[in-house]
């Protein structure tokens, strides 16, 4: 089983429904060594509006497309840097696969670490904290790290199922890499809970995302 999400479709619908505004600049930082992942020089034919002629180029173009979609929805004067790569050690079996994993490289608390956030006593992922601070709070570190499964489709990792690298949603029975990238970027941009391993909030403070998660069984948000 491969987990999918409606989030990318909602994002695309939102983007199409309104004009773009003061777009955020999202930069992809290639973290793959030569010959692998985004640096793979295997020749491929252009597909579904993706004009790349190597496997690495096509993957990078998809990332850049995802960055353009998110950048069109966000407003920030601070460049958002995303470290992107492929990894062979993500969980995989013959029937299930972790397609990708993403996390913010740092979180910052308001107002302890920066000023300008709308809610005090709250964690903000780096990209969002930078937006409210109006500057990069740690210029030595990228904002987001994202990795994708380089073993998908191979023996022992849902054989025969591959990432579709076209931009036209014509993925058929394969996995639309663009929608996966859109979903994963969301976590790094702030759809993320900041918790200890035992489920308690880091520093006894919720993340801004936690303040908007609603438990309809208890009838309250997670920050209560």
């Amino acid at each position: 089983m491969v987990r999918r999400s409606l989030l990318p479709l909602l994002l695309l619908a939102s983007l199409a429904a309104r004009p773009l505004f003061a777009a955020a600049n999202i930069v992809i930082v290639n973290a793959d060594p030569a010959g692998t992942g985004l640096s793979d020089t295997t020749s491929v034919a252009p597909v579904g509006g993706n004009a790349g002629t190597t496997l690495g180029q096509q993957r990078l173009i998809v990332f850049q497309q995802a960055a353009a979609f998110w950048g069109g929805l966000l407003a920030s004067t601070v460049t958002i840097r995303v470290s992107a790569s492929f990894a062979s050690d993500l969980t995989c079996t013959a029937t299930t696969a972790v397609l990708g994993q993403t996390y913010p490289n740092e979180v910052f608390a308001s107002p302890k670490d920066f000023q300008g956030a709308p809610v005090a006593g709250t964690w903000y992922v780096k990209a969002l904290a930078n937006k409210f601070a109006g500057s990069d709070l740690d210029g030595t570190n990228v904002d987001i790290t994202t990795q994708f499964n380089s073993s998908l489709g191979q023996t022992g990792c849902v054989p025969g199922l591959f990432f579709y690298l076209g931009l036209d949603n014509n993925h058929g029975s394969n996995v639309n890499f663009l929608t996966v990238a859109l979903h994963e970027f969301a976590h790094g941009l702030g759809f993320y809970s900041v918790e200890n391993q035992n489920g308690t909030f880091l520093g006894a403070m919720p993340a801004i995302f936690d303040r908007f998660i609603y438990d309809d069984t208890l009838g309250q948000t997670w920050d209560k």
Side-chain angles (χ1 to χ4, degrees):
M1 174 178 119
V2 178
R3 300 183 66 182
R4 302 175 187 269
S5 171
L6 291 176
L7 175 61
L9 297 179
L10 295 174
L11 290 172
L12 294 177
S14 175
L15 186 60
R18 59 176 178 168
L20 299 183
F21 59 91
N25 181 33
I26 302 178
V27 174
I28 305 300
V29 179
N30 181 356
D32 280 320
T36 69
L38 296 175
S39 303
D40 193 322
T41 58
T42 302
S43 295
V44 295
V47 59
N50 188 328
T53 56
T54 70
L55 185 56
Q57 285 177 347
Q58 286 194 353
R59 288 167 168 169
L60 180 58
I61 286 170
V62 174
F63 278 139
Q64 292 169 336
Q65 185 79 348
F69 277 130
W70 269 113
L73 289 170
L74 304 176
S76 178
T77 60
V78 185
T79 294
I80 300 168
R81 293 176 295 150
V82 180
S83 173
S85 64
F86 279 75
S88 60
D89 59 351
L90 298 186
T91 301
C92 238
T93 71
T95 57
T96 65
V98 173
L99 299 177
Q101 62 181 13
T102 304
Y103 54 88
N105 277 60
E106 295 176 278
V107 294
F108 295 89
S110 169
K112 178 174 71 72
D113 299 321
F114 70 101
Q115 300 295 322
V119 183
T122 302
W123 293 106
Y124 291 81
V125 301
K126 185 172 183 286
L128 189 54
N130 287 348
K131 166 190 165 63
F132 290 123
S135 63
D136 196 330
L137 296 170
D138 180 7
T140 65
N141 206 359
V142 297
D143 302 272
I144 299 166
T145 293
T146 186
Q147 293 180 312
F148 293 83
N149 200 325
S150 63
S151 299
L152 186 68
Q154 301 175 15
T155 301
C157 188
V158 198
L161 184 70
F162 297 97
F163 283 127
Y164 174 70
L165 300 179
L167 307 177
D168 59 356
N169 200 37
N170 191 25
H171 54 87
S173 60
N174 284 309
V175 178
N176 191 339
F177 188 45
L178 178 56
T179 62
V180 177
L182 284 166
H183 173 96
E184 291 300 323
F185 279 26
H187 294 306
L189 290 166
F191 287 75
Y192 190 84
S193 292
V194 181
E195 299 175 348
N196 297 306
Q197 289 186 340
N198 63 4
T200 60
F201 291 132
L202 179 66
M205 290 188 299
I208 189 64
F209 180 59
D210 297 314
R211 294 192 182 279
F212 288 90
I213 300 176
Y214 183 76
D215 186 326
D216 59 5
T217 299
L218 296 178
Q220 63 184 32
T221 52
W222 279 25
D223 60 332
K224 303 301 183 183

